[in-house]
Amino acid sequence: MKVFLEVEKGENCGECFQLEVNRYRAIGRADNGAHTSQFTAEGDVALDEEELARVARHMGRRAANGAAQVGPAVPSAFRRGPDILLDDAKVSRTHCMLFVDEQGAAVVDLMSTNGVLVNGERVTQADLKEGDIVHVGKSRCVVRIRP
């Protein structure tokens, strides 16, 4: 399974970001020359302990609510892809994380200032499905899932 996040509205309109099973990508604000970015295009800045704990709690809930845990149960078992950097002042330096495991895709807010909306509802964490609309800052993104 491959998951794509297509930006439909915002400064990065038209960009498409891919996630693969057992991988994650963090979303943050792009560096506009003021050095306000926390993440990098290479994805080489580690999540801090609190961010990892939020993701681990979400993964634990997924395992408890779903079928038998097939994939990794901790964030450290996931391989990190390049960070998604959005040109949007409303996006926090460390805004959220998208990940994909055998159960599907999910988003976890990393305590961003302006939050994450999925289908118009503010969430701290949410499982994602085909066609879901994810708002990060002023950016509107649609989730596409392919076999």
Side-chain angles (χ1 to χ4, degrees):
M1 160 184 18
K2 291 185 182 178
V3 177
F4 299 90
L5 190 70
E6 296 176 2
V7 182
E8 290 189 331
K9 181 180 177 187
E11 292 295 320
N12 297 85
C13 185
E15 291 189 42
C16 185
F17 303 97
Q18 179 180 345
L19 293 97
E20 297 177 27
V21 174
N22 294 334
R23 299 209 46 185
Y24 75 90
R25 294 182 76 172
I27 297 179
R29 182 175 55 231
D31 183 358
N32 62 2
H35 301 291
T36 58
S37 179
Q38 182 76 21
F39 293 142
T40 68
E42 292 78 26
D44 57 1
V45 177
L47 298 176
D48 69 26
E49 300 265 334
E50 188 175 344
E51 293 164 343
L52 286 171
R54 290 177 66 80
V55 173
R57 283 192 299 274
H58 177 70
M59 292 173 146
R61 284 188 201 105
R62 283 170 63 99
N65 292 336
Q69 182 73 21
V70 177
V74 294
S76 61
F78 280 70
R79 222 169 108 220
R80 186 170 182 169
D83 292 336
I84 298 171
L85 303 176
L86 299 176
D87 299 309
D88 185 339
K90 296 290 184 181
V91 171
S92 297
R93 294 181 309 149
T94 56
H95 202 97
C96 62
M97 188 183 94
L98 298 165
F99 70 92
V100 180
D101 61 14
E102 287 81 0
Q103 294 182 34
V107 62
V108 177
D109 188 342
L110 298 176
M111 296 185 68
S112 64
T113 302
N114 294 311
V116 174
L117 281 79
V118 176
N119 300 323
E121 182 180 331
R122 188 167 181 159
V123 299
T124 56
Q125 58 193 0
D127 292 332
L128 301 172
K129 61 187 182 311
E130 170 68 25
D132 279 348
I133 302 298
V134 179
H135 282 92
V136 178
K138 294 181 181 178
S139 301
R140 173 190 155 107
C141 308
V142 63
V143 176
R144 300 288 180 216
I145 301 177
R146 305 290 179 254

